[in-house]
Amino acid sequence: NTIAMIQAIAAQSLRGGPAVDVARDKFTSRLDTLAKAQDLLTQTAWTKARLRPLLETALRPHGLTERFEMCGPDIELSSKCALAMALAAHELATNAVKYGALRHDDGRVVVTWQVTDDEFRFHWQEIDGPPVVPPSQKGFGSRMIEKALAGYFAGETKIEYRPHGVVFALNAPVGALSTE
């Protein structure tokens, strides 16, 4: 209900020309991703969310789920990590559709994760897209992915703009996955 109210306020507040329409669409899309992640969390009384369903939910609005290959163990994330991961996956997918691998019909994204005794590793790799050009400036999504996600997971993130595709990595201590 809170997110629906925020969306209504945004729709009323952000009226105007094409630039405002783009901003409103971005804002609404991000809120929608957050709302869907919260829906998953309500199923567990806001304590945790399983990573694969969370990613599937965050990526579904892009309508290209068959072009995502996901592989990793069945793990659960704390609510704060789940919300941050959902937003990061949404931002990565949005950029892949606009500029990266998902911009071309042959492009795809491989998402893997693994857990060792003391470390969680998450890896996103775009394949068979157009040649990658690093952005001239970082927007909200890139900053959120690099800084906020690292903070929520008490780990390190890295985005590489390799010529053959964007690669994103998150390395975090296992304990961060369950810490609220």
Side-chain angles (χ1 to χ4, degrees):
N1 288 341
T2 301
I3 291 191
M5 185 65 91
I6 293 169
Q7 285 177 317
I9 291 169
Q12 292 297 315
S13 302
L14 298 172
R15 291 185 176 184
V20 175
D21 292 344
V22 168
R24 184 181 57 246
D25 290 346
K26 285 181 181 180
F27 182 75
T28 302
S29 178
R30 289 171 177 147
L31 276 178
D32 198 41
T33 298
L34 189 60
K36 288 175 179 152
Q38 287 182 332
D39 287 345
L40 286 175
L41 288 167
T42 58
Q43 297 170 15
T44 62
W46 274 86
T47 58
K48 57 194 168 211
R50 291 180 26 243
L51 181 55
R52 180 181 295 274
L54 180 77
L55 290 172
E56 290 169 349
T57 300
L59 300 174
R60 192 171 298 123
H62 299 284
L64 306 166
T65 53
E66 71 281 356
R67 294 170 60 193
F68 287 94
E69 179 183 323
M70 289 191 265
C71 183
D74 185 25
I75 63 169
E76 293 181 329
L77 302 177
S78 69
S79 60
K80 75 173 186 174
C81 287
L83 292 173
M85 180 61 78
L87 286 173
H90 171 76
E91 294 298 331
L92 286 164
T94 297
N95 289 339
V97 168
K98 288 170 68 174
Y99 313 111
L102 301 179
R103 186 173 168 196
H104 287 262
D105 291 340
D106 295 336
R108 58 194 172 94
V109 177
V110 176
V111 181
T112 60
W113 61 93
Q114 61 184 2
V115 176
T116 63
D117 289 338
D118 59 351
E119 190 171 42
F120 168 67
R121 292 178 183 225
F122 179 88
H123 192 257
W124 168 287
Q125 184 169 357
E126 296 181 23
I127 300 170
D128 295 332
V132 173
V133 177
S136 58
Q137 60 183 6
K138 292 184 180 183
F140 166 82
S142 294
R143 287 191 307 274
M144 194 281 299
I145 292 166
E146 289 179 320
K147 304 291 185 213
L149 191 64
Y152 281 110
F153 278 83
E156 297 177 354
T157 59
K158 185 175 186 180
I159 298 178
E160 294 181 37
Y161 300 94
R162 298 179 184 170
H164 58 278
V166 169
V167 175
F168 167 75
L170 163 68
N171 295 330
V174 167
L177 303 180
S178 58
T179 304
E180 283 301 324

